[in-house]
Amino acid sequence: MITPAFDLSQDPEYLILSIRVPYTRMSEFDLCIDGTDFKFYAKPYFLRLTLPGRIVEDGREKGKFDIDKGLFTLQVPKETPGEHFEGLQMLTSLLAPKGSRSAKPLVEDVSAECSESAAENEEEDEEEFDWQVEQEVYVERSEEELSALQKYGFGNQRSGVFARLQEELTDVIDVKNPEETSAAERRQERLEAETSAFSPDHYLADLFEDDEIKALLKFKPSWAKLSPSTEQEEESAISFTDDEKEQLRKFTNRSYLLDKTSRHQAWLGLVDILLAYSYEVRSTEGEHNVESPWTIRKLSGTLCWLETYSSLQEVLVSFGRRVLCYPLYRHFSLVSVAVHDTTKVLQSGKACVLKCLLDIHKVFRENDPAYILNDLYITDYCIWIQRVKSKKVTDLSAALQKASLHKKDLELELDELENAATMVAEEEEHRASRSAGVSCGDSSSASSDSSSSSSSSDSSESEESEAEGQGCTESEEGGGGGGGGEAFKDNPLQHQPSCSVSPIPQAPTSALLSAEKKKVNSLPSASEGSRQLIEELGERVAEELRVSADSSCTAERRCSQLSDAAAKTEGTSGRSSSGTLLEPSARRNPLLIIQTQEDLSDLERDFIS
């Protein structure tokens, strides 16, 4: 017999069943309606449902068959109009045969004590779930007991699985020998592996270069638009795809015998898996990739280390540490937002939780080694969550919303690391600004020094020229050479320093020539030809130079003679007498050059040419 694809919905008065039965005859339909039981038969299809509410067969039934689509739609009246049937989207639980909803054993003692114990268990199941850590006195177990405790999987009900799958072991989990490693040893190894895998450089890089992190934080997953709602609003807000419905029909319905501790661990394991899934959805912006199976299982201690938790705080700490140690984006803000996303999923009801679990099941199903995790955890969670009460999911979401996680809880010294990195960054910034200020100060100082140096040089030259001019005038008047004085008035182009007579530096000719060459080379604007010409003239001057050691009177007489000669030359040839003076430097006039009367015309000719 083939179980057909089906879907259920409701209105205040009717339960609506949509059953897809292609390639069948309408005349072969057979229905059976009896309270909570519904049976449908159309060769070769058979469907049996156990409904959450009672329906009646009173003649108000309506049905139609779409031959093109092969879809049979049936409306069956509710026994109590206005009653809301809960869990119509939980298709796997609806397929369970009548009487299988209870997890009681097939054989049980019906004595008075057992009856009282069963009643207490039922009351315990209805009581408020305590999410706090339950403390117990430590009892040391024997080796036989320890070997019997090495169990894992959903509700710690599996063992011996990896003994048959040694090749796939390292590709699925991080525990090296799960069959012989106790839960405490697995936890210790997990903590050591996380501490070893933590990279401060990677963490600080994501902390200070967080452009991509900010973009991920702005992403809105599919459940972000949902709001805490009642069961009726949840059914209308959450819809399953055809593939998801098909997968729900494929699940084998089963019962789970879980004690209080196992139920508590199952709920905490669910939170751990949903946290890893929420991070993966946000880090890929809702588009799964080839790394998605690795990310989900790596961030979940339940899936990667077969971990069992005893409190919500342990779950949050484990998840936070693994986010900062393994994935591509390692930022504490992603931990916080993943916790918020998981709270949102739980607040949206068990239908939203089931949809997330089905997505995880699909991701693992399409990955070769990760499918083992479906057999160990995800499939059981998909079946189990359909049977739990919505109040349990709501209580868990409230407890998760109240929980808090801080960086210091992760025991990775994040605050100290961030403070040290911030101090280094501030110091580097201070050094850079100080270096920039020093370089700017040096350049401005050099510019001002150059300007002041140039100004002082020009002013000193001016002062020297004026002093020499005044000395020349006084010498002319004191020497009684009136003709010389008249010649100076008539020839304003003649340089005043040529008449300076006191004192003449007593320096060797070679030293003077060397000094003049250095001054010529220091001229920034002098061309190569000008420098060569001035050097040649300097050499000629050095050959003709005569340093007089006589008294100032002899110097005055020579100065007068030079002035008379300059006046005569100007009168006859009309040429300037400035040719009697040589000035190697355009800026400075450190030399006093005296010519003899006999060589005057030759020097003038050389200078002019």
Side-chain angles (χ1 to χ4, degrees):
M1 304 297 288
I2 301 174
T3 301
F6 68 97
D7 192 17
L8 281 75
S9 59
Q10 61 181 325
D11 60 26
E13 295 185 359
Y14 289 93
L15 175 68
I16 303 170
L17 299 96
S18 300
I19 308 172
R20 189 172 183 273
V21 284
Y23 314 114
T24 188
R25 296 179 182 178
M26 188 174 182
S27 60
E28 296 180 351
F29 287 176
D30 190 10
L31 297 174
C32 178
I33 301 173
D34 183 15
T36 58
D37 291 341
F38 173 83
K39 297 182 180 69
F40 170 84
Y41 172 76
K43 188 179 180 179
Y45 301 100
F46 177 74
L47 179 63
R48 179 183 58 194
L49 300 177
T50 302
L51 302 173
R54 297 181 64 85
I55 55 177
V56 294
E57 187 177 4
D58 58 1
R60 292 183 294 162
E61 304 86 10
K62 301 176 184 179
K64 63 179 180 178
F65 181 63
D66 189 334
I67 299 176
D68 295 334
K69 297 181 180 179
L71 185 64
F72 177 68
T73 305
L74 178 65
Q75 292 183 342
V76 183
K78 297 179 180 179
E79 185 177 88
T80 304
E83 180 184 2
H84 177 72
F85 289 1
E86 182 180 349
L88 293 181
Q89 293 176 315
M90 310 304 167
L91 304 183
T92 307
S93 63
L94 296 176
L95 290 171
K98 184 178 180 180
S100 66
R101 288 179 174 272
S102 175
K104 296 179 181 180
L106 297 178
V107 180
E108 59 180 330
D109 189 354
V110 292
S111 61
E113 294 182 0
C114 291
S115 299
E116 293 177 0
S117 177
E120 290 177 0
N121 290 337
E122 291 180 0
E123 293 177 359
E124 182 179 303
D125 187 62
E126 295 296 331
E127 69 182 3
E128 293 291 330
F129 204 92
D130 185 12
W131 301 103
Q132 302 300 321
V133 180
E134 186 171 340
Q135 296 181 336
E136 296 180 357
V137 178
Y138 175 75
V139 178
E140 188 173 1
R141 296 180 174 89
S142 62
E143 291 293 332
E144 291 78 13
E145 291 176 336
L146 288 175
S147 61
L149 289 175
Q150 311 318 317
K151 296 183 180 297
Y152 41 81
F154 177 79
N156 284 331
Q157 295 183 333
R158 308 294 292 274
S159 63
V161 175
F162 292 102
R164 306 186 301 269
L165 301 171
Q166 289 296 324
E167 294 182 0
E168 293 85 357
L169 175 63
T170 56
D171 294 332
V172 179
I173 61 176
D174 289 350
V175 186
K176 295 181 180 180
N177 189 4
E179 308 297 342
E180 300 180 1
T181 307
S182 65
E185 292 173 343
R186 291 198 296 263
R187 174 168 298 187
Q188 183 63 31
E189 291 178 4
R190 174 179 64 83
L191 294 175
E192 292 176 358
E194 291 167 357
T195 304
S196 176
F198 178 69
S199 172
D201 293 339
H202 194 144
Y203 173 76
L204 292 177
D206 285 351
L207 179 66
F208 291 102
E209 300 175 5
D210 57 350
D211 293 339
E212 295 184 5
I213 305 296
K214 291 179 180 178
L216 296 178
L217 294 175
K218 295 179 181 178
F219 173 75
K220 301 294 183 183
S222 59
W223 54 78
K225 58 185 178 182
L226 301 177
S227 58
S229 58
T230 61
E231 183 73 20
Q232 300 181 24
E233 295 173 344
E234 176 189 337
E235 292 180 0
S236 60
I238 304 296
S239 61
F240 293 94
T241 64
D242 293 338
D243 292 339
E244 291 170 342
K245 293 178 181 178
E246 180 65 24
Q247 185 58 52
L248 286 174
R249 289 189 292 268
K250 288 181 180 179
F251 287 143
T252 301
N253 189 63
R254 66 188 71 167
S255 300
Y256 298 95
L257 292 171
L258 301 177
D259 56 19
K260 183 177 180 181
T261 303
S262 298
R263 281 199 309 271
H264 188 67
Q265 292 174 350
W267 281 111
L268 297 177
L270 175 64
V271 174
D272 182 51
I273 295 172
L274 290 178
L275 285 170
Y277 173 74
S278 300
Y279 175 92
E280 197 282 328
V281 170
R282 183 170 292 275
S283 63
T284 58
E285 296 182 328
E287 298 180 0
H288 298 309
N289 53 39
V290 294
E291 296 295 332
S292 296
W294 181 90
T295 303
I296 295 175
R297 73 171 183 82
K298 198 70 176 179
L299 297 185
S300 170
T302 301
L303 300 177
C304 192
W305 282 91
L306 310 178
E307 181 69 89
T308 53
Y309 300 100
S310 58
S311 67
L312 270 177
Q313 188 66 20
E314 287 184 0
V315 176
L316 297 179
V317 170
S318 172
F319 172 71
R321 286 171 61 91
R322 300 189 73 79
V323 167
L324 300 184
C325 291
Y326 295 107
L328 176 61
Y329 303 109
R330 307 178 186 180
H331 200 282
F332 189 79
S333 297
L334 292 177
V335 179
S336 302
V337 76
V339 175
H340 178 268
D341 288 344
T342 303
T343 304
K344 191 74 173 178
V345 170
L346 293 171
Q347 288 176 343
S348 301
K350 63 181 184 180
C352 185
V353 175
L354 177 58
K355 192 172 182 66
C356 294
L357 290 172
L358 289 172
D359 194 18
I360 298 172
H361 191 279
K362 180 181 178 181
V363 170
F364 286 167
R365 189 171 68 244
E366 296 174 351
N367 184 266
D368 188 23
Y371 73 91
I372 300 174
L373 297 175
N374 279 343
D375 296 338
L376 288 175
Y377 290 99
I378 308 303
T379 299
D380 292 324
Y381 270 115
C382 289
I383 299 171
W384 176 73
I385 196 65
Q386 298 181 58
R387 297 189 172 190
V388 302
K389 295 183 178 180
S390 299
K391 187 176 183 301
K392 299 287 186 181
V393 180
T394 304
D395 293 344
L396 180 58
S397 66
L400 184 59
Q401 189 173 18
K402 293 178 182 178
S404 61
L405 181 66
H406 305 284
K407 293 181 179 180
K408 62 181 180 180
D409 299 331
L410 305 183
E411 298 182 357
L412 295 175
E413 299 181 352
L414 300 181
D415 292 330
E416 293 81 357
L417 188 63
E418 292 178 15
N419 292 336
T422 303
M423 292 176 61
V424 171
E426 292 176 354
E427 185 177 353
E428 291 293 334
E429 184 178 356
H430 180 67
R431 287 181 180 177
S433 60
R434 187 169 57 185
S435 299
V438 170
S439 61
C440 292
D442 291 344
S443 60
S444 60
S445 175
S447 175
S448 62
D449 290 346
S450 175
S451 301
S452 55
S453 157
S454 174
S455 301
S456 61
S457 172
D458 293 341
S459 60
S460 59
E461 289 176 2
S462 263
E463 292 174 359
E464 290 176 1
S465 300
E466 291 176 1
E468 290 172 354
Q470 292 176 0
C472 179
T473 305
E474 292 174 358
S475 300
E476 289 172 357
E477 292 176 356
E486 292 297 328
F488 249 81
K489 292 179 181 179
D490 295 338
N491 187 11
L493 294 178
Q494 184 175 355
H495 289 276
Q496 296 177 5
S498 61
C499 298
S500 180
V501 296
S502 169
I504 298 176
Q506 303 297 320
T509 303
S510 60
L512 292 175
L513 180 60
S514 175
E516 292 306 314
K517 286 184 178 180
K518 290 181 180 179
K519 292 179 181 180
V520 170
N521 292 332
S522 65
L523 294 176
S525 59
S527 63
E528 189 65 27
S530 302
R531 291 181 179 181
Q532 185 176 1
L533 177 61
I534 294 174
E535 289 178 2
E536 293 178 355
L537 291 176
E539 293 175 356
R540 295 290 301 274
V541 169
E543 294 176 357
E544 301 295 336
L545 186 61
R546 300 289 184 270
V547 181
S548 176
D550 297 338
S551 62
S552 59
C553 296
T554 307
E556 290 176 3
R557 180 176 54 79
R558 291 185 177 180
C559 183
S560 299
Q561 293 176 357
L562 288 174
S563 299
D564 295 340
K568 292 178 182 179
T569 304
E570 183 180 5
T572 56
S573 61
R575 291 182 296 180
S576 174
S577 62
S578 60
T580 60
L581 301 176
L582 291 180
E583 187 177 352
S585 176
R587 294 184 179 181
R588 301 181 183 274
N589 187 18
L591 296 179
L592 180 61
I593 303 171
I594 302 176
Q595 306 291 342
T596 59
Q597 185 67 28
E598 294 80 4
D599 298 331
L600 180 61
S601 59
D602 295 335
L603 288 173
E604 285 181 348
R605 189 179 302 108
D606 293 338
F607 181 77
I608 294 173
S609 61

